[in-house]
Amino acid sequence: MAALRRKFGEDYQVVNTNQATTFTAPVKKKRQRFVDKNGRCNVQHGNLGGETSRYLSDLFTTLVDLKWRWNLLIFILTYTIAWLVMASMWWLIAYIRGDLNHGHDSSYTPCVANVYNFPSAFLFFIETEATIGYGYRYITEKCPEGIILFLFQSLLGSIVDAFLIGCMFIKMSQPKKRAETLMFSQTAVISQRDGKLCLMFRVGNLRNSHMVSAQIRCKLIKSRQTPEGEFLPLDQCELDVGFGTGADQLFLVSPLTICHEINPKSPFFDLSQRSLKNEEFEIVVILEGIVETTGMTCQARTSYTEDEVLWGHRFLPVMSLEEGFFRVDYSQFHSTFEVPTPAYSVKEYEEKNSLPSPVSTPTPALTESHGARRNRVFSVDCINTSEERGRHGGIGGRLPSKLQRMSSSGKEDLQRKVLMLSSQHSEKACSTGDLPLKLQRLSSSPGPEAENRLQLKSLKVGFEPMTQSTGDLYQHSLAPTLSPAPVPMHSPLLSGGRPEDNLPAKLRKMNADR
């Protein structure tokens, strides 16, 4: 089946000859990951050219970074070649001195005793290098070149042992293996926490030894295009997992749920449940810490693609209280369950809340009616204040006696009259018996007689009530010409008649008696 897919492609048809039915195998194309689930980065460097010599400048790191099979091969080949080269040098000394021809002559003193051929020279080197010392082969005092070669062999052997054994030790003690006991959840979830939409995943530590100064970071890998038209493949963006609040510093003694709040600063601000199906991104999680037993820094990595992010899910709890301790159930470590979660993005939610509500929006009619009420209700204190201002200004002394008696009445009568005015819905002209009155001094005609003339102007009472302050009424009493009441076109004032003719008959009689 796999061979057919490689040959004909992913969208081939499988035909069942028994039932004579044809169906298409729903095979989803595997997405190329930037970082595998085990933390390995899928990046290969090519076309280095002359830059490969840089690897030889740091030979020790290059050997440590190699895979185990190459390390073992280099280890075996290095010792085998070194042994063969040194054994050949001992055999060459014996051949040059002629010790090979006098191997069984007891009267002859060779450079190395009992070395007759190459195998015997190789055994001598191994006994010397490994400090076995069987005592059958040894260097005599009549071989200075053998003594020099022996010193060189000791120095070279120490260097090779230190280099290769040290390389193997570092390779075995790498903290990468400590990362194998650090777990990440298979999927990430998006749900609400504390009333906010959050992206969450889970981390855990399988060992009892702690990770000192554990810190977690998240990167969003996503290709994008800048406003200038530049295409950035695999652009890296930082995801805030509590850097400002210190939530990224972990006390990893039990499984923890890492939370990324989706806010206007998050790259997932406009991510919704529907757009999640069409997105292509990868979230890389990096957990760093110091191994408590060795003191070396360890780093564990994993990644989540858009297919591994579950919308509207939450992790099952894994902690339980036992008798005297807390128990962690790692069988539920990757399990999730569905919870009610809004399907729209945070951006759509904020835009929806920012729109004005039609119920709370004031209509122009209500606004105008509210403004019209302001011209209607006056407090008793305002009336008294305006009357006192009129009295101090000389107007109160020129009022008729009946008006003076009415103005000296108590606040209760005035308040009752104000309430009667506020209950009327139509505009009307106030007579001398309806308070409050707005008196205006006639300044249009000069002379002392004009000062005694008073014009009682009709006060418009609107449909809507409103409270007016004392200062406003005082300004109206001082400057009545700023907002005069409209005078009908047939008024005697406009037709050239006397101002007294505009007053009611009863008021004209009172003025005449005075």
Side-chain angles (χ1 to χ4, degrees):
M1 190 74 68
L4 290 176
R5 285 200 181 100
R6 288 194 299 268
K7 184 176 181 180
F8 300 102
E10 299 291 341
D11 298 332
Y12 76 99
Q13 288 186 344
V14 179
V15 179
N16 191 346
T17 58
N18 296 328
Q19 299 179 0
T21 57
T22 304
F23 63 93
T24 303
V27 179
K28 186 177 181 180
K29 185 178 179 180
K30 186 178 180 180
R31 186 180 181 278
Q32 181 61 46
R33 309 178 71 102
F34 186 70
V35 177
D36 289 337
K37 297 296 288 185
N38 57 3
R40 186 178 64 88
C41 298
N42 294 322
V43 178
Q44 294 183 1
H45 304 281
N47 297 328
L48 296 177
E51 302 299 330
T52 54
S53 60
R54 296 176 179 267
Y55 290 98
L56 297 178
S57 61
D58 190 8
L59 184 59
F60 185 80
T61 305
T62 302
L63 293 176
V64 173
D65 290 339
L66 291 176
K67 295 183 178 180
W68 270 106
R69 54 179 176 265
W70 298 109
N71 278 101
L72 294 176
L73 179 61
I74 292 174
F75 186 86
I76 295 173
L77 288 178
T78 302
Y79 274 106
T80 302
I81 293 174
W83 292 343
L84 292 176
V85 170
M86 294 303 300
S88 301
M89 295 181 68
W90 286 109
W91 178 83
L92 184 60
I93 291 177
Y95 177 79
I96 294 175
R97 287 175 55 90
D99 297 342
L100 301 178
N101 300 325
H102 303 82
H104 299 282
D105 189 358
S106 59
S107 60
Y108 180 78
T109 304
C111 180
V112 180
N114 299 320
V115 174
Y116 311 112
N117 47 24
F118 182 80
S120 59
F122 184 78
L123 291 175
F124 170 73
F125 168 76
I126 294 298
E127 294 174 7
T128 305
E129 180 66 23
T131 65
I132 296 175
Y134 292 113
Y136 182 71
R137 297 178 180 88
Y138 55 91
I139 302 176
T140 61
E141 66 277 2
K142 294 184 178 181
C143 184
E145 60 273 16
I147 297 175
I148 296 174
L149 183 60
F150 177 77
L151 295 176
F152 176 75
Q153 172 186 331
S154 300
L155 294 175
L156 182 62
S158 300
I159 294 174
V160 173
D161 291 343
F163 188 82
L164 293 180
I165 295 176
C167 179
M168 297 298 291
F169 176 77
I170 296 298
K171 184 73 174 178
M172 289 185 295
S173 62
Q174 272 187 327
K176 291 182 180 180
K177 297 303 177 181
R178 178 62 177 89
E180 299 292 336
T181 54
L182 296 175
M183 291 183 61
F184 295 92
S185 58
Q186 294 293 336
T187 58
V189 298
I190 294 179
S191 61
Q192 285 187 329
R193 171 178 283 189
D194 297 331
K196 299 177 182 178
L197 198 64
C198 299
L199 170 71
M200 294 173 286
F201 57 92
R202 180 179 279 175
V203 296
N205 183 15
L206 298 180
R207 290 188 180 272
N208 293 328
S209 59
H210 301 167
M211 292 289 295
V212 182
S213 302
Q215 184 179 10
I216 194 164
R217 295 182 292 117
C218 291
K219 293 284 186 179
L220 176 63
I221 310 297
K222 183 179 180 180
S223 301
R224 68 181 183 92
Q225 189 172 5
T226 62
E228 296 80 11
E230 181 185 3
F231 181 73
L232 302 177
L234 302 178
D235 183 50
Q236 299 185 13
C237 177
E238 188 76 19
L239 292 181
D240 186 13
V241 289
F243 178 77
T245 60
D248 59 333
Q249 304 291 333
L250 307 181
F251 182 54
L252 198 59
V253 296
S254 62
L256 299 177
T257 301
I258 309 302
C259 178
H260 165 68
E261 178 184 345
I262 301 179
N263 51 27
K265 296 182 180 179
S266 173
F268 299 130
F269 181 56
D270 55 351
L271 182 66
S272 62
Q273 185 177 8
R274 177 178 296 180
S275 62
L276 179 61
K277 301 177 182 179
N278 302 324
E279 290 286 342
E280 289 188 3
F281 61 85
E282 186 173 351
I283 303 172
V284 179
V285 182
I286 304 172
L287 176 61
E288 295 178 340
I290 301 175
V291 182
E292 187 180 29
T293 54
T294 61
M296 292 187 295
T297 303
C298 173
Q299 184 181 93
R301 296 181 297 268
T302 190
S303 67
Y304 301 98
T305 59
E306 67 278 357
D307 298 333
E308 298 169 346
V309 178
L310 304 179
W311 189 282
H313 283 246
R314 188 179 297 167
F315 288 106
L316 285 173
V318 295
M319 293 286 295
S320 61
L321 179 61
E322 302 291 340
E323 186 177 356
F325 62 92
F326 292 93
R327 182 181 180 83
V328 180
D329 184 12
Y330 278 99
S331 63
Q332 305 292 335
F333 185 82
H334 305 286
S335 301
T336 62
F337 64 97
E338 293 186 3
V339 291
T341 305
Y344 44 82
S345 63
V346 179
K347 182 179 180 181
E348 295 173 351
Y349 177 75
E350 292 188 356
E351 289 178 353
K352 182 179 178 181
N353 291 341
S354 63
L355 295 177
S357 177
V359 178
S360 61
T361 305
T363 59
L366 295 178
T367 306
E368 292 176 0
S369 63
H370 180 72
R373 292 194 192 101
R374 306 186 58 179
N375 301 325
R376 195 167 168 226
V377 177
F378 299 87
S379 64
V380 178
D381 296 336
C382 296
I383 296 174
N384 293 338
T385 306
S386 61
E387 292 178 355
E388 290 177 1
R389 290 293 303 172
R391 188 181 298 109
H392 293 319
I395 298 176
R398 296 180 177 86
L399 290 177
S401 58
K402 185 176 180 179
L403 291 180
Q404 292 180 5
R405 288 194 302 269
M406 293 176 64
S407 62
S408 62
S409 60
K411 293 183 179 180
E412 296 181 358
D413 296 334
L414 297 178
Q415 186 176 6
R416 187 183 304 109
K417 295 179 182 296
V418 172
L419 295 177
M420 291 174 61
L421 287 175
S422 62
S423 63
Q424 298 179 1
H425 302 287
S426 60
E427 297 182 356
K428 70 176 184 177
C430 298
S431 64
T432 56
D434 297 330
L435 291 180
L437 294 175
K438 186 175 181 181
L439 301 178
Q440 180 179 6
R441 182 178 179 180
L442 294 175
S443 59
S444 58
S445 58
E449 296 180 357
E451 296 179 357
N452 298 329
R453 298 173 183 175
L454 298 175
Q455 179 184 6
L456 181 62
K457 303 187 66 178
S458 61
L459 178 63
K460 276 192 175 183
V461 181
F463 174 75
E464 299 81 7
M466 176 195 162
T467 303
Q468 184 169 352
S469 63
T470 306
D472 296 337
L473 186 59
Y474 171 65
Q475 292 179 1
H476 285 82
S477 63
L478 290 181
T481 59
L482 295 179
S483 59
V487 181
M489 295 301 297
H490 60 275
S491 176
L493 293 177
L494 298 178
S495 61
R498 295 175 56 188
E500 290 82 353
D501 297 338
N502 193 30
L503 296 177
K506 189 175 181 180
L507 187 57
R508 288 199 304 268
K509 183 178 179 180
M510 293 171 61
N511 288 337
D513 295 341
R514 186 181 179 189

